[in-house]
Amino acid sequence: MDIKQIFKNNELWIKDKLSMDKDFFKNLSKDQRPEILYIGCSDSRVTAEELMGVSPGEAFVHRNVANMVSNIDLNVQTVLNYAVNQLEVKHVVVCGHYGCGGIKAAMESKDLGILNPWLRNIRDVYRIHKSTLDKIDSEEERYKKLVELNVQEQCINLIKTACVQQASKSRDIKVHGWVFDMSTGELIDLKINFEEILKGIMEIYHLD
């Protein structure tokens, strides 16, 4: 990649935006008011705004390896707190994707150095759902199922947080689990039944 080309691309992008709306950057520089917090994977092939078809300012975005919502990751927790308490987003989305390198790495018995503690969170998801995953003969289908289950568990991690619980009491906020299929371009709503999944155990995580 020619780095200089990026700046040329930027100049063309500015001209393109101004040709359609002379006040585009004036409006863009105003306070942001996104309604969605999108937590996705850092994979270079999965661009949040493009796959959702939204414009700048319409989504607050956080990305990391394998779209994790770790309880001890100050980065994602800070983004979440700011989006929920300050921006007052109405929707919090965890979006995974089939073909995720982080998920695949977690399924392999390899020492990956500094990645080990991060991938251990995904291996914990496998441990929790081992009986379901071990019934799947196809490695590819098992891999895809782990992608979906990882999204589910990260959504549950969101629901455990104080800011999401507090916001759900004071206003309408919803948590969503999605998967992006790169082979088709389709964005899939997993339609996770959180009430059913958390039935009988939410009292453990409930915060007054």
Side-chain angles (χ1 to χ4, degrees):
M1 176 184 290
D2 183 357
I3 294 298
K4 292 180 180 178
Q5 184 61 45
I6 291 176
F7 292 94
K8 292 177 182 178
N9 293 344
N10 175 250
E11 291 176 4
L12 293 173
W13 176 71
I14 292 170
K15 290 178 182 178
D16 182 56
K17 291 300 181 184
L18 290 176
S19 69
M20 293 186 289
D21 179 4
K22 63 182 178 60
D23 294 323
F24 179 83
F25 294 104
K26 180 181 178 181
N27 293 329
L28 189 66
S29 63
K30 295 176 182 177
D31 288 343
Q32 60 173 330
R33 269 310 189 213
E35 295 191 358
I36 297 172
L37 166 60
Y38 172 100
I39 300 172
C41 184
S42 297
D43 194 301
S44 61
R45 300 165 295 176
V46 185
T47 53
E49 291 87 353
E50 190 171 3
L51 68 89
M52 290 191 290
V54 300
S55 301
E58 292 183 338
F60 198 59
V61 177
H62 174 80
R63 297 170 67 182
N64 61 44
V65 174
N67 43 270
M68 303 300 293
V69 184
S70 170
N71 300 317
I72 57 173
D73 177 12
L74 289 180
N75 195 336
V76 70
Q77 292 299 324
T78 300
V79 168
L80 175 64
N81 193 281
Y82 182 74
V84 172
N85 291 337
Q86 305 301 319
L87 298 178
E88 296 186 341
V89 296
K90 297 179 180 177
H91 304 275
V92 184
V93 172
V94 176
C95 185
H97 67 97
Y98 298 133
C100 179
I103 300 292
K104 189 169 186 178
M107 291 179 69
E108 299 172 349
S109 299
K110 292 182 180 178
D111 182 352
L112 296 171
I114 193 64
L115 277 174
N116 287 336
W118 190 259
L119 297 178
R120 194 176 303 130
N121 293 295
I122 306 170
R123 290 178 176 130
D124 285 341
V125 173
Y126 199 119
R127 173 178 54 80
I128 293 168
H129 297 280
K130 188 175 186 299
S131 60
T132 297
L133 291 164
D134 285 353
K135 291 176 184 175
I136 302 173
D137 293 330
S138 166
E139 184 177 355
E140 182 63 26
E141 290 304 312
R142 190 163 60 249
Y143 176 19
K144 291 174 70 174
K145 186 64 176 178
L146 183 55
V147 167
E148 296 171 0
L149 291 171
N150 183 58
V151 167
Q152 177 180 300
E153 291 301 323
Q154 304 320 310
C155 287
I156 291 171
N157 283 342
L158 285 173
I159 295 170
K160 293 175 185 176
T161 63
C163 63
V164 170
Q165 289 189 32
Q166 290 163 0
S168 66
K169 293 176 185 176
S170 61
R171 59 187 178 84
D172 187 24
I173 186 170
K174 289 184 169 58
V175 173
H176 308 268
W178 299 348
V179 170
F180 177 61
D181 188 342
M182 288 189 295
S183 67
T184 64
E186 184 182 6
L187 191 59
I188 302 163
D189 185 350
L190 295 177
K191 298 179 181 178
I192 303 166
N193 188 340
F194 298 113
E195 186 175 345
E196 181 64 26
I197 292 170
L198 294 168
K199 184 167 48 177
I201 62 169
M202 192 57 201
E203 61 194 45
I204 299 170
Y205 304 108
H206 176 74
L207 302 171
D208 291 327

